[in-house]
Amino acid sequence: MAFSGALTLTDLNDFITPSQACIKPIETTNAPKYDPKAEAATQIHIDANGEYYEVEINNSAKTSTAQSKKLEKAEISLNDCLACSGCITSAESVLITMQSHVEVTNFLQSNPPPSSPEHKIPILSISPQALASLAATINVASTSTAPSTPPASIREILDRIRAFATVELGFSNVFDTTFARHIALQEHILEFEERVAAAKSGKEGSLPMLASACPGWVCYAEKAHAEMLPFISTTKSPQQVMGSLVKEWIGKKLGKSPEQMYHVTVMPCYDKKLEASRQDFYNEQYRTRDVDCVITTGELELLIKERGWDLTISRHPPPETQIKLPDLLIHSGSSSGGWLQSIIEHVQERERRSGRTSSVRTKTIRTADYEDVMVETITEDGRPEIVFKGSKCYGFRNLQNVVRKVAKESGLKGPGPIRATGGRTSGGAAAVLRARRIKKEQEAGSTPVLGEDRPYDYVEVMACPAGCVNGGGQARRPVSNKSSSAEEAINLVNGDTAGMGSRWGDREWVKTVDELYWSHSFDEGALFEANKLSGSIIEGLGKLEEDGRRRMLRTQYHTVISDVVGLNVKW
């Protein structure tokens, strides 16, 4: 099992030095009895330069021989670090082990028949990134056996998954999560406007608003950067919005209470298992989670193979069920959900209503994984003005740079604010840079852009390089024996920062998955139905209870204090 880099690391490089805090100490009470026969035939010696040598010894004389071997220095790669559970609590570890495709099949086999009052209705939700990944692997398999076979779209893959899950496994319904994402984007925009109003009134921690759809980023912030928590959006991720829909809205439609529904999601990364296990998404009244089990794309692929089901074969979709949701809804922006783009379009619409035209300018900071985006308008006196500044930040290295920048712009240092700034003060250094830039522009004869030094209003944060289509839980690219390691090394996304090996993070493969993500066409009718249905659901929540919408669509975050103290660890 491998989590994203952000889940378990507080510092990231290609390699990190061994740290005592990386190891979770375990007290041993039953020490083994001494056995002279079990003594090692070698010892580790350290010379004056700090080099390590393995030296053979004579057990009877307890003396070293002349033969020795120099040892390589220990290096902990990201893959090694991700395999360690020292940064994950024991409670989280137990919950994660309970979430696998084996757990799903065990439940389905033990689930009583529908006539039994103990029967739970099983529902499967799959993310569009997972569908795109499966489509990519299936298309490779199809073309290798029959080159003339046309590539399957994610619409066809969704139909085949529906057939497999309902016919072979016994799921009652299979949905994709795009409708839940549609609701989450609407709530996201509403929260952004709330934060803009709060920032104008001087409330701390309002802006910039940081995306919350990536649980690896959220987990990292809770454990390493508690000062960032007020900035993280409280809107639930599409997975958890879908969990609320299944357990509450769909459950009510079927006349069932939340604990009578069993909800499984298929996600592109392992971090989603941690997200589903959060106590915030546990219903104390009915003793059930919004998402009972999370499996990755790769685990679903494995389950399909274990059942001998061939997804390369076209199948008729199962008959429509009682509950139907709009599926495969298109959005604009990134293939990680389009969170930044939704805010940009909202800001542009707001400017249009004010009678001002706007344009979007993008500035690449490093790679396509780290870009700043500005919305510019023209003032009444003809001067350009930046009215919004956002950023797209993918990958852990970029993430840490953004965290430092947000902290600096917001007047934060360490675990909390160093002064009351309303979250929008960039400090004296920014003022000096601003003055220098204006002077340089005046000397060059150019018109300075108002708001050029504007701090971030919004940041779309994802822990994985290239975003969710490149998640660590995605189906692996079929490996060709002809490919050389040199060729693979060139094509790795951001140097394969997640340490998952050359089959994960291949640029061309990520591009293929990304293209399949966008392969289905825009359906205006489906979007109209989605807006109508989401409005009806949200309106109904407000009627049922005063805080129903917030309870179903918002969450909260908690500072996690590590119980591992490096100074107390004995080597």
Side-chain angles (χ1 to χ4, degrees):
M1 180 177 296
F3 300 91
S4 77
L7 182 64
T8 54
L9 298 180
T10 56
D11 274 319
L12 185 72
N13 210 322
D14 285 331
F15 290 93
I16 59 174
T17 56
S19 169
Q20 291 183 338
C22 294
I23 307 300
K24 194 166 187 176
I26 301 175
E27 183 180 359
T28 304
T29 55
N30 52 342
K33 294 181 179 180
Y34 172 73
D35 183 0
K37 295 181 181 180
E39 283 190 358
T42 61
Q43 288 183 343
I44 305 299
H45 287 187
I46 306 175
D47 67 9
N49 297 322
E51 301 291 344
Y52 290 77
Y53 293 87
E54 184 178 16
V55 182
E56 293 185 2
I57 59 174
N58 186 329
N59 281 341
S60 59
K62 302 290 183 182
T63 57
S64 301
T65 66
Q67 296 183 7
S68 64
K69 177 184 176 183
K70 184 179 179 180
L71 299 177
E72 296 292 333
K73 288 185 177 180
E75 290 180 323
I76 301 177
S77 69
L78 299 183
N79 202 35
D80 298 327
C81 191
L82 297 178
C84 170
S85 62
C87 301
I88 303 175
T89 67
S90 58
E92 286 172 338
S93 301
V94 172
L95 290 169
I96 291 168
T97 57
M98 293 170 60
Q99 300 194 33
S100 67
H101 72 286
V102 175
E103 183 71 19
V104 172
T105 54
N106 289 341
F107 166 80
L108 294 172
Q109 291 171 0
S110 61
N111 191 26
S115 58
S116 170
E118 301 298 322
H119 174 76
K120 293 186 178 182
I121 298 178
I123 290 181
L124 181 72
S125 303
I126 182 168
S127 75
Q129 293 88 358
L131 288 171
S133 177
L134 287 171
T137 55
I138 289 166
N139 288 337
V140 170
S142 298
T143 54
S144 63
T145 55
S148 60
T149 304
S153 65
I154 64 172
R155 166 69 66 184
E156 293 174 299
I157 297 301
L158 178 58
D159 289 340
R160 296 175 194 179
I161 293 294
R162 278 181 171 145
F164 168 73
T166 54
V167 175
E168 179 69 19
L169 299 180
F171 278 94
S172 173
N173 295 80
V174 177
F175 304 107
D176 69 75
T177 60
T178 58
F179 178 63
R181 182 197 63 215
H182 182 74
I183 294 178
L185 286 172
Q186 291 177 325
E187 190 68 17
H188 209 60
I189 293 170
L190 176 64
E191 183 185 355
F192 178 72
E193 281 302 315
E194 293 172 355
R195 285 175 174 267
V196 168
K200 289 179 179 178
S201 66
K203 183 180 179 182
E204 289 185 13
S206 300
L207 292 177
M209 177 170 152
L210 309 178
S212 59
C214 175
W217 148 242
V218 171
C219 186
Y220 167 71
E222 287 185 323
K223 294 183 177 181
H225 287 284
E227 73 277 8
M228 290 290 112
L229 297 185
F231 300 103
I232 299 179
S233 167
T234 58
T235 301
K236 289 183 180 180
S237 71
Q239 171 178 271
Q240 296 310 133
V241 171
M242 193 68 199
S244 298
L245 287 174
V246 168
K247 289 297 180 90
E248 300 192 37
W249 185 76
I250 293 178
K252 285 185 173 68
K253 288 281 185 182
L254 299 176
K256 301 293 183 179
S257 55
E259 84 280 4
Q260 294 176 305
M261 310 290 290
Y262 186 77
H263 185 208
V264 179
T265 62
V266 182
M267 291 289 141
C269 76
Y270 288 96
D271 296 348
K272 287 292 181 180
K273 296 174 185 280
L274 280 179
E275 180 181 65
S277 302
R278 292 176 67 92
Q279 192 63 27
D280 302 282
F281 304 133
Y282 181 78
N283 189 321
E284 295 285 354
Q285 180 181 356
Y286 294 99
R287 296 185 178 181
T288 184
R289 297 188 181 279
D290 295 340
V291 179
D292 295 285
C293 190
V294 180
I295 61 175
T296 63
T297 313
E299 287 175 311
L300 177 61
E301 183 186 36
L302 179 61
L303 178 58
I304 292 169
K305 289 179 180 178
E306 288 178 351
R307 293 301 183 103
W309 194 275
D310 190 356
L311 282 186
T312 63
I313 301 174
S314 297
R315 301 176 188 272
H316 293 292
E320 291 188 2
T321 56
Q322 181 181 349
I323 304 297
K324 182 173 174 58
L325 296 177
D327 55 18
L328 296 181
L329 297 172
I330 283 287
H331 65 90
S332 54
S334 69
S335 54
S336 296
W339 306 97
L340 173 60
Q341 185 61 30
S342 68
I343 301 294
I344 290 172
E345 291 175 355
H346 171 72
V347 171
Q348 287 190 287
E349 176 63 18
R350 185 181 65 192
E351 293 301 312
R352 187 190 66 80
R353 290 178 180 177
S354 301
R356 301 202 297 180
T357 58
S358 62
S359 61
V360 177
R361 177 161 56 94
T362 302
K363 178 183 178 182
T364 301
I365 306 301
R366 285 188 173 180
T367 64
D369 278 350
Y370 189 6
E371 296 178 335
D372 283 356
V373 184
M374 285 74 71
V375 176
E376 288 186 3
T377 63
I378 304 299
T379 62
E380 294 180 356
D381 58 356
R383 298 179 64 188
E385 178 184 10
I386 295 176
V387 295
F388 171 86
K389 185 177 181 181
S391 181
K392 184 185 77 171
C393 171
Y394 293 171
F396 197 75
R397 287 188 181 88
N398 296 329
L399 186 155
Q400 288 201 320
N401 289 330
V402 165
V403 165
R404 284 191 286 267
K405 186 171 183 179
V406 169
K408 181 180 178 180
E409 290 179 343
S410 304
L412 301 176
K413 186 176 182 181
I418 56 175
R419 59 181 179 275
T421 62
R424 309 302 293 155
T425 301
S426 53
V432 172
L433 292 174
R434 184 191 315 126
R436 289 177 181 173
R437 187 181 62 255
I438 292 174
K439 182 179 180 180
K440 189 178 294 185
E441 289 170 344
Q442 289 174 343
E443 291 174 352
S446 60
T447 304
V449 178
L450 297 175
E452 186 70 43
D453 59 321
R454 185 186 185 95
Y456 285 141
D457 296 285
Y458 182 87
V459 183
E460 181 178 308
V461 185
M462 298 291 159
C464 292
C468 296
V469 292
N470 193 35
Q474 292 283 62
R476 300 290 186 260
R477 175 180 186 169
V479 179
S480 172
N481 293 329
K482 297 179 182 180
S483 63
S484 67
S485 58
E487 292 174 337
E488 290 176 346
I490 292 173
N491 291 324
L492 296 181
V493 175
N494 283 1
D496 189 23
T497 53
M500 293 297 295
S502 59
R503 290 182 297 170
W504 186 91
D506 184 290
R507 290 184 186 278
E508 291 302 318
W509 183 246
V510 172
K511 182 180 178 182
T512 299
V513 176
D514 192 75
E515 289 174 349
L516 281 165
Y517 180 91
W518 298 109
S519 62
H520 54 293
S521 58
F522 173 75
D523 188 341
E524 189 172 350
L527 183 60
F528 175 80
E529 289 299 321
N531 286 328
K532 183 179 177 181
L533 182 58
S534 62
S536 173
I537 291 173
I538 292 171
E539 183 182 356
L541 288 172
K543 290 180 180 179
L544 286 174
E545 52 183 300
E546 182 179 350
D547 202 32
R549 175 173 183 158
R550 181 169 292 275
R551 181 183 58 79
M552 187 170 178
L553 303 179
R554 301 285 181 97
T555 185
Q556 57 187 337
Y557 308 106
H558 317 277
T559 301
V560 177
I561 300 175
S562 175
D563 59 352
V564 177
V565 180
L567 295 177
N568 293 336
V569 178
K570 295 181 180 180
W571 293 85

